[in-house]
Amino acid sequence: MKKTILFIIGTAVLNCILLAQKSKFSLEANYGLNGNFFVRSYDELGGPSPKTYFYKKNFVGSIAGVELKFQMDSSSTLSIAYAQSVNGKKINFDGPFNSIYLQIENFTIRHINHFYQFAYEGTCNKRKNNWKYQAGLFYLRSNQQEISLENFNNLINLAERNYKNNGLEEGGVFAGLGYFKTIDRHFSLGIRSRIYFLISTGTFEAVTLTPALSYHF
């Protein structure tokens, strides 16, 4: 019995070693542009007057991310990733507000998205695997900065809503396409584009275009 147990344990260890030797991991860093659909969807005209709302941000912003990949075979990869996007807008306001004179000068409000992703990546051509497609799931948490000036309520409100205080979270799917070129034995350089769709709201969240550098262990 003891020899049988030792044989089973030894076989399991050997299989783990062989699997580790055959497995291929890579780490990708990317940074580039994002276009955020949500930050342009605010209603800044609704509600009683007079009022001034600063909710919207610029459609074009930046996004940076890191991705850990496990290559299952020559044309299939699984990955987990984190990315953070930032869209901002510079606010300037100068004028009377009820009994005071209010001035907001070069103040930037931001919308920050935190993407947590799981994806499958395949090659468009098994013989020439430079072109790669991706499909996956993502979980989203956001930080949303807003300014409200409401004369009728005598209210000046500078707010940042987030997951901790306001439960801002969503879930969705994304798809992407990329092109990569091998530089040497360990590095490859490329560019990828992705589009994100929120299942929880039924709307598109963002589209991205990012150069990327991968290190293959």
Side-chain angles (χ1 to χ4, degrees):
M1 177 63 70
K2 183 177 180 180
K3 290 182 179 181
T4 303
I5 295 174
L6 290 175
F7 175 77
I8 294 173
I9 294 174
T11 302
V13 171
L14 180 59
N15 287 335
C16 290
I17 294 173
L18 291 175
L19 180 62
Q21 289 177 341
K22 292 180 180 180
S23 65
K24 294 182 180 180
F25 288 91
S26 62
L27 187 65
E28 177 188 308
N30 54 75
Y31 177 81
L33 300 175
N34 95 89
N36 191 301
F37 300 102
F38 174 79
V39 299
R40 303 301 301 169
S41 66
Y42 284 99
D43 179 12
E44 294 184 331
L45 302 177
S49 295
K51 83 295 185 192
T52 303
Y53 294 150
F54 299 106
Y55 292 165
K56 294 182 179 180
K57 290 85 178 176
N58 297 324
F59 175 75
V60 177
S62 63
I63 186 168
V66 62
E67 190 165 342
L68 179 63
K69 300 180 179 181
F70 170 73
Q71 187 171 342
M72 296 185 293
D73 54 42
S74 60
S75 60
S76 302
T77 302
L78 293 178
S79 67
I80 55 173
Y82 168 78
Q84 177 179 293
S85 66
V86 180
N87 294 76
K89 184 179 181 181
K90 189 173 291 185
I91 304 301
N92 287 282
F93 179 88
D94 193 348
F97 179 80
N98 289 352
S99 59
I100 64 172
Y101 190 87
L102 179 63
Q103 186 175 41
I104 303 174
E105 185 176 358
N106 295 325
F107 184 83
T108 300
I109 57 173
R110 293 180 173 85
H111 179 103
I112 301 174
N113 275 343
H114 305 273
F115 295 90
Y116 303 89
Q117 304 166 106
F118 174 78
Y120 170 84
E121 182 176 272
T123 57
C124 298
N125 188 321
K126 291 185 177 181
R127 289 180 296 178
K128 296 181 180 180
N129 58 0
N130 299 89
W131 286 99
K132 303 178 185 294
Y133 64 88
Q134 265 192 343
L137 305 172
F138 72 95
Y139 170 68
L140 178 69
R141 290 186 177 182
S142 301
N143 297 62
Q144 302 172 7
Q145 296 177 340
E146 302 158 355
I147 298 176
S148 304
L149 309 177
E150 299 180 353
N151 298 65
F152 58 90
N153 282 334
N154 199 30
L155 173 68
I156 301 174
N157 183 41
L158 286 76
E160 178 171 339
R161 300 188 297 122
N162 52 43
Y163 171 77
K164 182 178 180 181
N165 298 323
N166 307 96
L168 298 186
E169 60 177 345
E170 305 290 349
V173 296
F174 71 94
L177 183 67
Y179 179 85
F180 283 82
K181 191 75 173 179
T182 300
I183 301 175
D184 61 20
R185 181 169 168 265
H186 290 289
F187 289 95
S188 60
L189 182 65
I191 187 167
R192 67 165 70 252
S193 179
R194 290 178 176 138
I195 187 165
Y196 294 85
F197 180 81
L198 293 174
I199 296 176
S200 52
T201 62
T203 58
F204 286 99
E205 176 67 18
V207 60
T208 67
L209 181 65
T210 56
L213 179 65
S214 293
Y215 176 79
H216 306 271
F217 295 96

